[in-house]
Amino acid sequence: MRGGLALGAALASVALLAAAVSAVWTPYDVTALAIAEKLREPSAAHLLGTDHFGRDILSMLMVGARTSIAVALVAVGIGMGVGVPLGLLAAARRGGWLDEVIMRGNDLVFAFPSLVIAILITAVFGPSAVNAILAIGIFNIPVFARVTRGGALSLWTLDYIRAAQVAGKGRALISVEHILPNILNLLIVQGTIQFSLGILAEAGLSYVGLGAQPPTPSWGRMLAEAQTMVTLAPHVAVFPGLAIVLTVVGLNLMGDGLRDLLDPRLRRAR
């Protein structure tokens, strides 16, 4: 599985590098229209061709990577920042009313997919990248809460936790000092998986017009704009599609590799 981890890290690094470079340089200005250059096939001047407005597709993909990664990263941060404390609290109060309230609240959020949440937010505040972040972030909260609670529950019955309780440490202190460090591997792996799903969700929201708005490039909106010209200029749709697929596959491979690397049970099995 080390090969999968290396391949996944390489694919993810390409997207991260493109996003970082796009902050300071792109081959062409993504906001400049050049109708005379529209739908050009890949060439020396435009390595991946141009779209129906004459914009350079490589430049669009680079800036689109920045958009997708920023949205997914902040959304995962929201999910971890809220979900992990809730999961630790539920595990610390396992079996009580607080645990029940938190988990039933998670079930309620799970009943509304990120697309439905995005539609609700958009109906009030309008479509934007910020609203996409909120929608994906809200959907991530119960995911991290469940993973945290599940990992923490298996630790609360161990002897060293009981010894900490006998020593007079409270539930909150035990959760921070003993529980959280021992479930970080679970959270890292889940964070990688949710990061890839966040990129996919951002592309989906942008595809239906609920994500980043023009003139900010987005992989999902590039696909939406290219769907009517697939037979005329297939490269306009192929390259954004490949960017999404390769980035998501890379992050999933990296997540699987990290799980195998960090899980002691899997290490012993090998």
Side-chain angles (χ1 to χ4, degrees), residues 33-57:
L33 306 184
I35 302 302
E37 298 290 324
K38 68 177 184 178
L39 300 181
R40 298 279 185 175
E41 294 184 352
S43 64
H46 299 278
L47 294 180
L48 301 183
T50 61
D51 67 0
H52 57 300
F53 288 127
R55 296 172 297 185
D56 182 63
I57 291 178

Side-chain angles (χ1 to χ4, degrees), residues 35-103:
I35 302 302
E37 298 290 324
K38 68 177 184 178
L39 300 181
R40 298 279 185 175
E41 294 184 352
S43 64
H46 299 278
L47 294 180
L48 301 183
T50 61
D51 67 0
H52 57 300
F53 288 127
R55 296 172 297 185
D56 182 63
I57 291 178
L58 176 59
S59 301
M60 297 278 289
L61 289 178
M62 291 173 67
V63 179
R66 191 174 72 211
T67 302
S68 296
I69 289 172
V71 169
L73 192 61
V74 176
V76 169
I78 292 173
M80 293 187 74
V82 179
V84 171
L86 286 177
L88 289 173
L89 181 59
R93 300 293 180 179
R94 58 199 179 280
W97 66 268
L98 189 57
D99 180 21
E100 188 69 16
V101 168
I102 291 174
M103 298 317 295

Side-chain angles (χ1 to χ4, degrees), residues 122-169:
T122 301
V124 179
F125 301 105
S128 69
V130 174
N131 293 336
I133 290 172
L134 289 175
I136 301 170
I138 290 171
F139 188 74
N140 278 335
I141 291 173
V143 174
F144 284 103
R146 284 177 176 271
V147 170
T148 302
R149 180 180 181 274
L153 284 178
S154 64
L155 298 178
W156 272 102
T157 59
L158 299 182
D159 292 339
Y160 77 94
I161 299 296
R162 292 175 179 170
Q165 290 176 309
V166 171
K169 290 185 178 181

Side-chain angles (χ1 to χ4, degrees), residues 39-42 48-52 55 57-58 60-61 207 218-246:
L39 300 181
R40 298 279 185 175
E41 294 184 352
L48 301 183
T50 61
D51 67 0
H52 57 300
R55 296 172 297 185
I57 291 178
L58 176 59
M60 297 278 289
L61 289 178
Y207 183 87
S218 169
W219 289 347
R221 199 174 65 255
M222 289 175 71
L223 277 177
E225 293 174 349
Q227 63 183 350
T228 59
M229 57 191 77
V230 172
T231 56
L232 179 63
H235 67 278
V236 179
V238 167
F239 291 122
L242 280 176
I244 295 171
V245 169
L246 292 178

Side-chain angles (χ1 to χ4, degrees), residues 137-211:
I138 290 171
F139 188 74
N140 278 335
I141 291 173
V143 174
F144 284 103
R146 284 177 176 271
V147 170
T148 302
R149 180 180 181 274
L153 284 178
S154 64
L155 298 178
W156 272 102
T157 59
L158 299 182
D159 292 339
Y160 77 94
I161 299 296
R162 292 175 179 170
Q165 290 176 309
V166 171
K169 290 185 178 181
R171 293 174 185 265
L173 188 59
I174 292 174
S175 295
V176 173
E177 288 189 353
H178 301 289
I179 301 296
L180 184 58
N182 284 286
I183 61 172
L184 276 179
N185 59 331
L186 294 175
L187 298 177
I188 291 171
V189 173
Q190 192 63 44
T192 304
I193 294 172
Q194 293 306 122
F195 186 40
S196 69
L197 293 177
I199 289 177
L200 198 59
E202 189 279 331
L205 293 174
S206 295
Y207 183 87
V208 297
L210 301 179

